[in-house]
């Protein structure tokens, strides 16, 4: 059980740092590019996905890298920075193992259903208010 707790603490610490980095990135994008396009969100999604690719490639090539490092960096920091990086990794793993059908379904369903769910939440609150 202490193994789970130590990983949870690492994920929480990394997630807090990642969320803080996302917040600062969004502030910087708003300051430099203005509010006409969500450049901050766009940037964290692209940067986070690139960083996840780098991290996973490095971790799979190195033997002896602890699960604590992966918990802190991949699940924690990058998960707090952007969950899009985890989504991108899931899709890439399906695609690379040749599971193109499930990868395509996952990609389309995740994007479409997430957006529909957001509109559903907006509609529900607005209808009740």
């Amino acid at each position: 059980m202490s193994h789970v707790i130590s990983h949870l603490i690492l994920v929480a610490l990394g997630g807090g740092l990642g969320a803080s980095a996302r917040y600062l990135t969004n502030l910087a994008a708003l300051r430099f590019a203005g509010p006409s396009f969500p450049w901050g969100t766009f940037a964290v999604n692209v940067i986070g996905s690139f960083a996840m690719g780098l991290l996973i490639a490095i971790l799979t090539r190195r033997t002896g890298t602890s699960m604590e490092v992966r918990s802190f960096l991949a699940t924690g920091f990058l998960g707090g920075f952007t969950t899009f990086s985890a989504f991108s990794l899931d899709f890439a793993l399906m695609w690379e193992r040749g599971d193109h059908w499930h990868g395509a379904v996952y990609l389309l369903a995740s994007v479409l259903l997430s957006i529909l769910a957001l509109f559903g939440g907006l509609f529900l609150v607005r209808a009740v208010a």
Side-chain angles (χ1 to χ4, degrees), residues 34-127:
S36 63
F37 186 82
W39 288 111
T41 301
F42 180 76
V44 298
N45 286 340
V46 173
I47 293 166
S49 294
F50 181 73
M52 182 68 84
L54 288 175
L55 178 64
I56 296 304
I58 290 167
L59 292 180
T60 57
R61 291 181 187 270
R62 296 186 66 192
T63 57
T65 303
S66 69
M67 284 303 295
E68 289 82 6
V69 170
R70 184 177 175 142
S71 293
F72 178 77
L73 291 175
T75 306
F77 184 83
L78 290 175
F81 188 60
T82 173
T83 57
F84 203 82
S85 61
F87 164 75
S88 298
L89 177 62
D90 290 340
F91 172 79
L93 291 174
M94 282 186 241
W95 195 263
E96 285 185 342
R97 71 174 178 241
D99 197 358
H100 300 134
W101 170 249
H102 284 115
V105 169
Y106 177 66
L107 173 75
L108 293 172
S110 293
V111 172
L112 293 175
L113 291 176
S114 293
I115 291 170
L116 286 173
L118 183 130
F119 276 113
L122 289 172
F123 173 79
L124 183 62
V125 170
R126 289 172 181 166

Side-chain angles (χ1 to χ4, degrees), residues 8-56:
L8 180 62
I9 291 168
L10 288 170
V11 169
L13 290 173
L17 292 171
S20 298
R22 180 180 67 232
Y23 176 73
L24 293 173
T25 301
N26 280 317
L27 283 180
L30 192 59
R31 175 175 288 178
F32 293 113
S36 63
F37 186 82
W39 288 111
T41 301
F42 180 76
V44 298
N45 286 340
V46 173
I47 293 166
S49 294
F50 181 73
M52 182 68 84
L54 288 175
L55 178 64
I56 296 304

